[in-house]
Amino acid sequence: MAKEINSIGVLTSGGDAPGMNAAIRAVVRAGNHYGKRVFGIYEGYQGLIENQILELNARSVKGILNRGGTILKSSRSEEFKTKEGRKRAYENLQAHGIDALVLIGGNGTFTGGMYFSEEFDFPLMGLPGTIDNDLAGTDFTIGFDTACNVVIECVDRIRDTAESHNRLFLVEVMGRDSGFIGLRAGVASGAVDVIFPEEENPMIDLFAELERGASNNKTNRIILVSEGNKMGSIQEIAAAVKERYPQWESKITILGHLQRGGSPTCTDRVLASRLGVAAIESLLDGRRGEAIGIVNNQLAYMPFEEAIRSKAKLDMELNRILKILAS
Amino acid sequence: MAKEINSIGVLTSGGDAPGMNAAIRAVVRAGNHYGKRVFGIYEGYQGLIENQILELNARSVKGILNRGGTILKSSRSEEFKTKEGRKRAYENLQAHGIDALVLIGGNGTFTGGMYFSEEFDFPLMGLPGTIDNDLAGTDFTIGFDTACNVVIECVDRIRDTAESHNRLFLVEVMGRDSGFIGLRAGVASGAVDVIFPEEENPMIDLFAELERGASNNKTNRIILVSEGNKMGSIQEIAAAVKERYPQWESKITILGHLQRGGSPTCTDRVLASRLGVAAIESLLDGRRGEAIGIVNNQLAYMPFEEAIRSKAKLDMELNRILKILAS
Amino acid sequence: MAKEINSIGVLTSGGDAPGMNAAIRAVVRAGNHYGKRVFGIYEGYQGLIENQILELNARSVKGILNRGGTILKSSRSEEFKTKEGRKRAYENLQAHGIDALVLIGGNGTFTGGMYFSEEFDFPLMGLPGTIDNDLAGTDFTIGFDTACNVVIECVDRIRDTAESHNRLFLVEVMGRDSGFIGLRAGVASGAVDVIFPEEENPMIDLFAELERGASNNKTNRIILVSEGNKMGSIQEIAAAVKERYPQWESKITILGHLQRGGSPTCTDRVLASRLGVAAIESLLDGRRGEAIGIVNNQLAYMPFEEAIRSKAKLDMELNRILKILAS
Amino acid sequence: MAKEINSIGVLTSGGDAPGMNAAIRAVVRAGNHYGKRVFGIYEGYQGLIENQILELNARSVKGILNRGGTILKSSRSEEFKTKEGRKRAYENLQAHGIDALVLIGGNGTFTGGMYFSEEFDFPLMGLPGTIDNDLAGTDFTIGFDTACNVVIECVDRIRDTAESHNRLFLVEVMGRDSGFIGLRAGVASGAVDVIFPEEENPMIDLFAELERGASNNKTNRIILVSEGNKMGSIQEIAAAVKERYPQWESKITILGHLQRGGSPTCTDRVLASRLGVAAIESLLDGRRGEAIGIVNNQLAYMPFEEAIRSKAKLDMELNRILKILAS
């Protein structure tokens, strides 16, 4: 029989995402609700190794529901990739009497958790926290909805400027490996094209669009460019356009870390709250070593191993919709 | 065999909702994409009776994707409830050569459409446009996500004020028949209680919460109050609290039509865009007399009759989450 | 010769206002910049009496520049109005070695400061922190610009709703004694009328506007209503309209504490930062017992006595502009 | 005696700025208020040459008060720099019976207006519309306050991300010739340094700040970079930092046209409304060939020639404040 859980640790790791604080709050309050102590581990796995651990209670997480970032900080730890690092982490957990961990992060976070769990038979559950939405086992990750809303607000503002003809607004959005933010925000902001990592020949669509633009004249056009696209940097794309269509002037906006920040949307706060409660309840129900998500509006559990191996699939239907609407 | 469709009308009816413009844009552009003409009918069914009909094209719907309200206006029409009214509406459609209609609205809109469709064997499809989320056949209605985000932004601002002890902030939100906005925004804004229409004895939870508040002292508390709750007006609730707990001071905010307005969120724009395209494609595929929604991220179709009769079910799990987190 | 100042306290008192945190941050960092210690006094004068005093440094005020409310909390203290209360306050300051105080608040705050300064010959300077803008000695108070922007954002959202004719949107805004928020936000949000405290017969304009509205038909109209107007509550105004013009339907929004909250605007942050630095520099320059403001973009100093006695004058030119533009 | 004015044209020219629509609305409604006809000239001077002129009325400018951009579009016209171009423009005005013009724009706009006014003795008044605030004769230009608020909202979001140490966030803001946006937004967003065009050796401050950062360790730092600074592009600045301090990692955000867009702030709407009314009233009072501004909260008039020759002076006091607060 599983050992009873009395104290639970929570950490955030990897790139931060809006809604992580809402998840931390939910973990702490749900933990207390069930009579458990909850400890915050600061600066992710590195902080676990360095013993940066503080007990949290309802009051510690007051007023964080609507704050971007993560009060627990985050980090990427090379040391946790070593056996020695993980051993020190385990000893710190032992010293605090922590029986279980809730991890909030992405694939790297879950990978670290999987090794740790195997080595020390330690109860862990993971919550998907990343703006990129590139995790399997959940329809949406914590932070994705906020990031998309930040992008469309920015593009709305760019669109207001009305001055000139034959002007391209190229807007770089996050997405090293996938076009989730690009495509969703593209549909929602009326972009005429999105250049995203999954495309083999991204310039074909763009040039076709510009040809079409040339015929109906006189319009500003918005193009979203995911970081990880196969064509190259946004400056290179601007140069390629200039070379082929000298009459088109490109204006560049790079949103950068803007997309990570800001107050989480309603959807991200609700998602994070549900998952935070589920993390505690699933640990108390005896679940171990799984990523928790919401699929078709129901809680869903996927073993870390499978979550890491699988890849979230981009819905190409959105690209079809975008093309139909980009008149 | 069904008559070929060459011209399609679109109208918005009932209370307006953010995202209706995004839906209109999608209907117009998808219609044009498939080589069909699209006509905008202004002021809902009443405008149909009064022949307020104009052809729309890609340019007419430029720049509306991010605007609240509806460029087609909306209305509630008594005349359309009569046979004579509907007959005049039909004649106007005939005169313009309009073969099919896309209706954007709620239950009343679909009811009118159902009668009209039966009487004149006229191709119609309906899109769920209401901030209340109280329609069957779809997980979310167009406008709901925006309304919830407006509410939480407002509550975030209220929460910043830090001055006093034993202070209740009562915030009235929309929802004549259901607590969708109240509960979702309540979880997302850290309300300690939501008073919503489905509750039989709404004051029990509130008084329990205040008792608990009395013991841990010194905090401002946020309570959301849905319009249609069984306890009465927000002023009456404030009075009932005052009578029982004289030490609690209530501050009232009434959000009112604020919740209908503003730029739609990413989720509402994507939902409206997908549904607008689906409205055209389903009509061209021969579908008739159905409300289109998205269920578990897939398009879903429900005959008007069933959509009207059914009721969207409030997820009481959210109330459970709210109580756990309201420490 | 004045005693050298080595330690400075800072407190916020009265109703809180966005930008108070920016002012606290500036006081702390400017104090440290000049080699002085700075102490935060929590919960205003009451906290001073109850010895709620903590030293602050650059790190304590990190990340508060953009937060609404006040990290020092605020209160209204009856006890500070008594000689005994002020004596205890003085003793606490002595015990901490605090040589001077920066007060952030409104008229009540300055009044308390004036008595205190006279009784104990204690160096004090005051910063105008209130959303109401009703203080003499400064063009704008800290928080006013943010409050006005919150109001116009809300009205923008209300305006989007497009459904009906002969509809009045009555929006209650803050202003118990003056129409500063009402008039400024009224011009900026396209209100057709503002009902504000300085008006003797507020309904004359409103009825005239409705007569005019009756003739050009079919429009929604926005009316801002300051709390302290001479006509009565917003519900009473709605009733008076209903009685005289039964065809006009009134929709009520009460913004309430929403107006106090939210992230301060650029103008409020810059104002607060300049005044916070000036508070420290003026104390070190030997100034005492004055409210600091910005008049015509220059720092201005006014003795508390005069600041309390004078009244900020509402610029009625804004009302003239509003009437011209309310077509 | 001056010819009576019966019809007034209005145009926007140069880079667009939030609040231009509010100014257009005020010109139109104030014109109508005084019984004059008002004509909108589309696409600036180029549209004047090409006779793109339409009469506007109260209804034409309904709903634009809160919209970014300019409904009249804008352009930069080479042709208007020629005598022939201006002659065609004059003929078009004659043909429409337009007696006077209100110009909304920057220095280039006023220069064109000055030539035009001299050649044809044509009544003109100018309103300062540019986000850059680099015009003489007014404390603030229409659009500047909004641009600054957009920048600080973006920086607030960037600041939320909490992940790493020794990280510089470099944010490029507008300002080809001056640091108005950079400095004001820098103070308001807690930047530790602003690199702006008026600085001769911009890297000195930055390196000093980084040295200081090195000692107190572990913080993210925000640096605003005005486009027109003497150090070079934001990428070059990042490279120079990297070379000297390899441990500092720079993250780049380029706000670009984002800063031109979005709904104008309360301050910009009030400024634009006051100036729009003043443009009409000053023309009817017989004023000619002047830029209208607001100085110390009073209307101020400056002949175009002087407005063009003078340069708005950057308030270096803001840089001093920024340094004190950048702890």
Side-chain angles (χ1 to χ4, degrees):
Chain A
M1 203 198 94
K3 205 188 126 203
E4 200 196 345
I5 290 172
N6 288 308
S7 287
I8 299 165
V10 56
L11 63 78
T12 51
S13 165
D16 64 329
M20 280 184 164
N21 279 329
I24 295 165
R25 171 181 177 268
V27 166
V28 171
R29 294 201 169 171
N32 287 179
H33 176 82
Y34 288 107
K36 308 303 173 189
R37 299 175 69 184
V38 182
F39 290 83
I41 294 142
Y42 288 77
E43 312 236 6
Y45 288 130
Q46 191 59 32
L48 189 54
I49 292 169
E50 295 172 3
N51 206 19
Q52 300 186 40
I53 301 176
L54 279 182
E55 184 161 5
L56 303 175
N57 58 29
R59 192 160 291 254
S60 333
V61 294
K62 194 170 131 78
I64 69 169
L65 174 61
N66 61 334
R67 303 289 186 222
T70 154
I71 58 163
L72 294 179
K73 313 280 171 156
S74 180
S75 73
R76 303 188 195 269
S77 169
E78 287 305 309
E79 207 173 340
F80 197 74
K81 293 180 183 163
T82 67
K83 257 202 152 145
E84 296 69 35
R86 291 195 294 270
K87 184 148 179 296
R88 284 181 54 200
Y90 179 70
E91 289 163 359
N92 290 331
L93 290 170
Q94 293 284 96
H96 280 86
I98 297 174
D99 307 312
L101 270 182
V102 178
L103 313 170
I104 308 172
N107 248 336
T109 311
F110 295 170
T111 306
M114 188 179 63
Y115 284 116
F116 189 81
S117 144
E118 283 166 8
E119 282 167 16
F120 303 100
D121 188 23
F122 200 86
L124 295 174
M125 292 296 279
L127 303 185
T130 164
I131 63 169
D132 291 330
N133 206 42
D134 57 355
L135 295 180
T138 192
D139 287 340
F140 298 108
T141 55
I142 298 167
F144 174 61
D145 188 59
T146 305
C148 289
N149 276 286
V150 170
V151 172
I152 68 169
E153 268 182 55
C154 290
V155 175
D156 285 353
R157 284 189 166 137
I158 291 171
R159 187 181 293 286
D160 273 338
T161 80
E163 177 181 354
S164 295
H165 307 163
N166 293 327
R167 180 176 273 185
L168 285 191
F169 289 101
L170 300 177
V171 182
E172 189 188 280
V173 301
M174 285 194 166
R176 278 188 208 281
D177 302 311
S178 74
F180 281 102
I181 292 177
L183 270 191
R184 190 169 177 88
V187 168
S189 61
V192 295
D193 193 25
V194 178
I195 298 179
F196 57 97
E198 286 86 347
E199 289 178 304
E200 280 310 318
N201 295 296
M203 299 306 275
I204 292 177
D205 277 357
L206 178 54
F207 288 156
E209 180 55 39
L210 294 183
E211 300 281 353
R212 198 154 64 97
S215 64
N216 65 4
N217 200 8
K218 281 194 172 195
T219 334
N220 296 335
R221 281 162 191 275
I222 308 273
I223 318 288
L224 301 194
V225 178
S226 303
E227 288 169 316
N229 79 83
K230 296 205 172 61
M231 173 62 204
S233 77
I234 195 165
Q235 286 88 358
E236 289 167 332
I237 291 171
V241 168
K242 190 79 192 160
E243 195 185 321
R244 179 130 169 196
Y245 301 99
Q247 76 275 25
W248 282 94
E249 185 195 6
S250 291
K251 295 280 176 183
I252 288 174
T253 295
I254 296 178
L255 294 179
H257 275 63
L258 231 162
Q259 298 159 86
R260 286 204 188 285
S263 183
T265 58
C266 187
T267 288
D268 273 330
R269 296 188 202 178
V270 170
L271 176 64
S273 298
R274 289 178 67 184
L275 291 178
V277 172
I280 294 295
E281 295 184 338
S282 63
L283 279 169
L284 300 183
D285 284 354
R287 285 187 172 274
R288 300 289 182 265
E290 293 172 317
I292 316 179
I294 292 191
V295 175
N296 294 343
N297 209 28
Q298 301 295 322
L299 289 171
Y301 305 87
M302 185 180 273
F304 280 150
E305 206 186 332
E306 187 184 343
I308 295 157
R309 213 181 38 222
S310 314
K311 203 173 142 37
K313 231 184 109 211
L314 187 63
D315 181 4
M316 295 300 295
E317 173 70 2
L318 283 180
N319 204 29
R320 194 181 74 88
I321 301 282
L322 185 139
K323 294 296 169 202
I324 291 175
L325 301 184
S327 300
Chain B
M1 201 197 94
K3 206 187 126 203
E4 200 197 344
I5 289 172
N6 289 307
S7 287
I8 298 166
V10 56
L11 62 79
T12 51
S13 165
D16 64 328
M20 281 185 164
N21 279 329
I24 294 165
R25 171 181 177 269
V27 166
V28 170
R29 295 200 168 171
N32 287 179
H33 176 82
Y34 288 106
K36 309 304 173 185
R37 300 175 68 186
V38 182
F39 290 83
I41 293 142
Y42 288 77
E43 312 237 5
Y45 287 131
Q46 191 59 31
L48 190 54
I49 293 170
E50 295 173 6
N51 206 20
Q52 300 187 40
I53 301 176
L54 280 181
E55 185 161 3
L56 303 174
N57 58 29
R59 192 161 291 255
S60 334
V61 294
K62 193 170 132 76
I64 69 169
L65 174 61
N66 62 334
R67 303 289 185 221
T70 155
I71 59 163
L72 294 180
K73 313 281 169 152
S74 180
S75 72
R76 303 189 195 268
S77 169
E78 287 305 309
E79 210 174 338
F80 197 75
K81 293 180 183 163
T82 67
K83 258 203 154 144
E84 297 69 35
R86 293 194 294 269
K87 186 148 177 297
R88 284 181 54 199
Y90 180 68
E91 288 162 359
N92 289 331
L93 290 170
Q94 293 284 95
H96 280 86
I98 297 172
D99 305 314
L101 271 182
V102 178
L103 313 170
I104 308 171
N107 249 334
T109 311
F110 294 170
T111 306
M114 187 179 64
Y115 285 116
F116 188 81
S117 144
E118 283 167 9
E119 281 167 16
F120 304 100
D121 190 24
F122 199 86
L124 296 173
M125 292 297 278
L127 304 185
T130 165
I131 62 169
D132 291 329
N133 206 41
D134 57 353
L135 295 180
T138 193
D139 288 342
F140 298 109
T141 56
I142 297 167
F144 174 61
D145 188 59
T146 306
C148 289
N149 276 286
V150 169
V151 172
I152 68 169
E153 268 183 53
C154 290
V155 175
D156 285 354
R157 284 188 165 138
I158 291 170
R159 187 181 294 285
D160 272 338
T161 80
E163 177 182 355
S164 294
H165 307 161
N166 293 326
R167 181 177 272 186
L168 285 191
F169 289 101
L170 301 177
V171 182
E172 189 190 279
V173 301
M174 285 194 168
R176 277 187 209 282
D177 303 311
S178 74
F180 282 101
I181 292 177
L183 270 191
R184 190 169 176 88
V187 168
S189 62
V192 295
D193 193 27
V194 179
I195 299 179
F196 56 98
E198 286 87 347
E199 288 179 304
E200 280 310 317
N201 295 297
M203 299 305 275
I204 292 176
D205 277 357
L206 178 55
F207 288 156
E209 179 56 39
L210 294 183
E211 300 282 352
R212 198 154 64 99
S215 63
N216 65 2
N217 202 6
K218 280 194 175 194
T219 336
N220 296 335
R221 281 161 191 274
I222 308 272
I223 319 288
L224 301 194
V225 178
S226 303
E227 287 169 317
N229 78 82
K230 294 205 173 62
M231 173 62 202
S233 75
I234 195 166
Q235 286 87 358
E236 288 167 333
I237 291 170
V241 168
K242 189 80 192 161
E243 196 185 319
R244 181 128 167 199
Y245 300 99
Q247 75 276 24
W248 282 93
E249 184 194 6
S250 292
K251 295 281 176 183
I252 289 175
T253 295
I254 297 179
L255 295 179
H257 274 64
L258 233 162
Q259 297 160 86
R260 288 202 185 288
S263 183
T265 57
C266 187
T267 288
D268 273 330
R269 296 187 201 180
V270 170
L271 176 63
S273 299
R274 290 179 67 184
L275 290 178
V277 172
I280 294 294
E281 296 184 336
S282 62
L283 278 170
L284 299 184
D285 284 354
R287 285 189 172 275
R288 302 290 182 264
E290 293 172 318
I292 315 178
I294 293 190
V295 175
N296 292 344
N297 208 28
Q298 301 295 322
L299 289 171
Y301 305 88
M302 186 181 272
F304 281 149
E305 206 185 331
E306 188 183 343
I308 295 158
R309 214 180 37 222
S310 313
K311 203 173 142 37
K313 229 182 113 212
L314 187 63
D315 181 5
M316 296 300 295
E317 174 70 2
L318 283 180
N319 204 30
R320 192 179 77 87
I321 301 281
L322 185 140
K323 294 297 168 202
I324 290 175
L325 301 183
S327 300
Chain C
M1 204 198 93
K3 206 188 124 202
E4 200 196 346
I5 290 173
N6 288 308
S7 287
I8 299 166
V10 55
L11 63 79
T12 51
S13 165
D16 64 327
M20 281 184 163
N21 279 329
I24 294 164
R25 170 180 178 270
V27 167
V28 171
R29 295 200 168 172
N32 287 179
H33 175 83
Y34 288 107
K36 309 304 173 187
R37 300 176 68 185
V38 183
F39 290 82
I41 293 142
Y42 289 76
E43 312 236 5
Y45 288 131
Q46 191 59 33
L48 190 54
I49 292 169
E50 296 173 5
N51 206 19
Q52 300 186 40
I53 300 176
L54 280 181
E55 184 161 4
L56 303 174
N57 59 29
R59 191 161 292 255
S60 333
V61 295
K62 194 169 131 75
I64 69 169
L65 174 60
N66 62 335
R67 303 287 185 223
T70 154
I71 58 162
L72 294 179
K73 312 282 170 147
S74 180
S75 72
R76 303 187 194 271
S77 168
E78 287 306 309
E79 209 173 339
F80 197 74
K81 293 181 183 163
T82 67
K83 259 200 153 147
E84 296 69 36
R86 291 195 294 271
K87 184 147 179 296
R88 285 180 54 199
Y90 180 70
E91 290 162 358
N92 290 330
L93 290 169
Q94 293 284 94
H96 280 86
I98 297 173
D99 306 312
L101 269 182
V102 178
L103 313 170
I104 308 172
N107 249 336
T109 311
F110 294 170
T111 305
M114 187 179 63
Y115 285 116
F116 188 80
S117 146
E118 284 166 9
E119 282 167 15
F120 302 100
D121 188 24
F122 199 86
L124 295 174
M125 292 296 279
L127 303 185
T130 164
I131 63 169
D132 290 330
N133 206 42
D134 56 355
L135 295 179
T138 192
D139 287 341
F140 298 108
T141 55
I142 297 167
F144 174 61
D145 188 59
T146 305
C148 289
N149 276 287
V150 169
V151 173
I152 69 170
E153 268 182 54
C154 290
V155 175
D156 285 354
R157 284 190 165 136
I158 291 171
R159 188 182 293 286
D160 272 339
T161 80
E163 177 182 355
S164 295
H165 307 162
N166 294 325
R167 181 176 272 187
L168 285 191
F169 290 100
L170 301 176
V171 182
E172 190 189 279
V173 300
M174 285 194 167
R176 278 187 207 282
D177 302 312
S178 74
F180 281 102
I181 292 176
L183 270 191
R184 190 168 175 89
V187 168
S189 62
V192 295
D193 193 27
V194 178
I195 298 180
F196 57 97
E198 286 87 347
E199 289 180 304
E200 280 308 317
N201 295 297
M203 298 306 275
I204 291 176
D205 276 358
L206 179 55
F207 288 156
E209 180 55 40
L210 294 184
E211 301 281 352
R212 198 153 65 100
S215 63
N216 66 2
N217 201 7
K218 279 195 176 193
T219 336
N220 296 336
R221 281 160 191 277
I222 308 273
I223 318 288
L224 301 194
V225 178
S226 303
E227 287 169 317
N229 79 85
K230 295 205 171 64
M231 174 62 203
S233 77
I234 196 166
Q235 287 87 357
E236 289 166 334
I237 291 171
V241 167
K242 189 79 193 161
E243 195 185 321
R244 180 131 167 196
Y245 300 99
Q247 76 275 23
W248 283 93
E249 185 195 5
S250 293
K251 296 280 176 183
I252 289 175
T253 294
I254 297 179
L255 295 179
H257 275 64
L258 231 163
Q259 296 159 87
R260 287 204 187 286
S263 183
T265 58
C266 186
T267 288
D268 273 330
R269 296 188 202 178
V270 171
L271 176 64
S273 298
R274 290 178 67 183
L275 291 177
V277 172
I280 294 296
E281 296 183 338
S282 61
L283 278 168
L284 299 183
D285 284 353
R287 286 188 171 274
R288 300 290 182 265
E290 293 172 318
I292 316 178
I294 292 191
V295 174
N296 293 344
N297 208 28
Q298 301 294 323
L299 288 171
Y301 304 88
M302 185 179 273
F304 281 150
E305 206 186 333
E306 186 184 343
I308 295 157
R309 214 181 36 222
S310 313
K311 203 173 143 37
K313 231 185 110 210
L314 186 64
D315 181 5
M316 295 300 295
E317 174 69 4
L318 283 180
N319 204 29
R320 193 180 76 87
I321 301 281
L322 184 140
K323 294 296 170 203
I324 290 175
L325 301 184
S327 301
Chain D
M1 201 198 93
K3 206 187 124 200
E4 201 197 342
I5 290 173
N6 288 308
S7 286
I8 299 165
V10 56
L11 62 79
T12 51
S13 166
D16 65 327
M20 281 185 163
N21 280 328
I24 294 165
R25 171 181 177 268
V27 167
V28 171
R29 294 200 169 172
N32 287 179
H33 175 82
Y34 288 107
K36 309 303 174 188
R37 300 174 68 184
V38 182
F39 290 83
I41 294 142
Y42 288 76
E43 311 237 5
Y45 289 131
Q46 191 59 32
L48 190 54
I49 292 169
E50 296 174 4
N51 206 18
Q52 300 187 39
I53 301 176
L54 279 181
E55 185 162 4
L56 303 174
N57 59 29
R59 192 161 291 254
S60 333
V61 293
K62 193 170 132 75
I64 69 169
L65 174 61
N66 61 334
R67 303 289 185 222
T70 154
I71 58 162
L72 294 180
K73 313 280 170 152
S74 180
S75 73
R76 303 186 196 269
S77 169
E78 287 305 310
E79 209 174 341
F80 196 75
K81 292 181 182 162
T82 67
K83 257 202 153 143
E84 296 69 36
R86 292 196 292 271
K87 184 146 178 298
R88 283 181 55 197
Y90 180 69
E91 289 162 358
N92 289 330
L93 289 170
Q94 294 284 94
H96 279 88
I98 296 173
D99 306 313
L101 270 182
V102 178
L103 313 170
I104 308 171
N107 249 335
T109 311
F110 295 170
T111 306
M114 187 179 63
Y115 285 115
F116 188 81
S117 145
E118 283 166 11
E119 281 168 16
F120 303 101
D121 189 24
F122 198 87
L124 295 174
M125 292 296 280
L127 303 185
T130 164
I131 62 168
D132 291 329
N133 206 43
D134 56 355
L135 295 181
T138 193
D139 288 341
F140 298 109
T141 56
I142 298 168
F144 174 61
D145 188 60
T146 306
C148 289
N149 276 286
V150 170
V151 172
I152 68 170
E153 267 182 55
C154 290
V155 175
D156 285 353
R157 284 189 166 136
I158 290 170
R159 187 181 294 285
D160 272 337
T161 81
E163 179 181 356
S164 295
H165 306 162
N166 292 327
R167 179 177 274 186
L168 285 192
F169 289 101
L170 300 177
V171 182
E172 189 189 279
V173 301
M174 286 195 166
R176 278 187 208 282
D177 302 311
S178 74
F180 282 101
I181 292 177
L183 270 191
R184 189 168 176 88
V187 168
S189 61
V192 296
D193 192 26
V194 178
I195 298 179
F196 56 98
E198 286 87 346
E199 289 179 303
E200 280 310 316
N201 295 296
M203 298 306 276
I204 292 176
D205 277 358
L206 179 55
F207 287 156
E209 179 56 39
L210 294 183
E211 301 281 353
R212 197 155 64 100
S215 63
N216 65 5
N217 200 4
K218 280 200 179 190
T219 334
N220 296 335
R221 284 163 189 272
I222 308 273
I223 318 288
L224 301 194
V225 178
S226 303
E227 288 169 315
N229 79 83
K230 294 205 172 64
M231 173 63 202
S233 76
I234 195 165
Q235 286 89 357
E236 289 167 333
I237 291 171
V241 168
K242 190 79 193 161
E243 196 184 319
R244 180 130 168 198
Y245 300 101
Q247 76 275 24
W248 282 93
E249 184 194 6
S250 291
K251 295 281 175 182
I252 289 175
T253 295
I254 297 179
L255 294 180
H257 275 64
L258 231 162
Q259 297 160 86
R260 287 203 187 287
S263 183
T265 58
C266 187
T267 288
D268 273 330
R269 296 188 202 179
V270 170
L271 175 64
S273 298
R274 289 178 67 184
L275 291 177
V277 171
I280 294 296
E281 295 184 338
S282 62
L283 278 169
L284 299 183
D285 284 353
R287 284 188 173 276
R288 302 288 182 266
E290 294 172 318
I292 316 178
I294 293 191
V295 175
N296 293 344
N297 208 28
Q298 302 295 322
L299 289 171
Y301 305 87
M302 185 180 273
F304 280 149
E305 206 185 332
E306 186 183 344
I308 294 158
R309 214 180 37 222
S310 314
K311 204 174 141 40
K313 231 183 109 211
L314 188 63
D315 181 5
M316 296 299 296
E317 173 70 3
L318 283 180
N319 204 29
R320 193 181 75 88
I321 300 281
L322 185 140
K323 294 296 169 204
I324 291 176
L325 302 184
S327 303

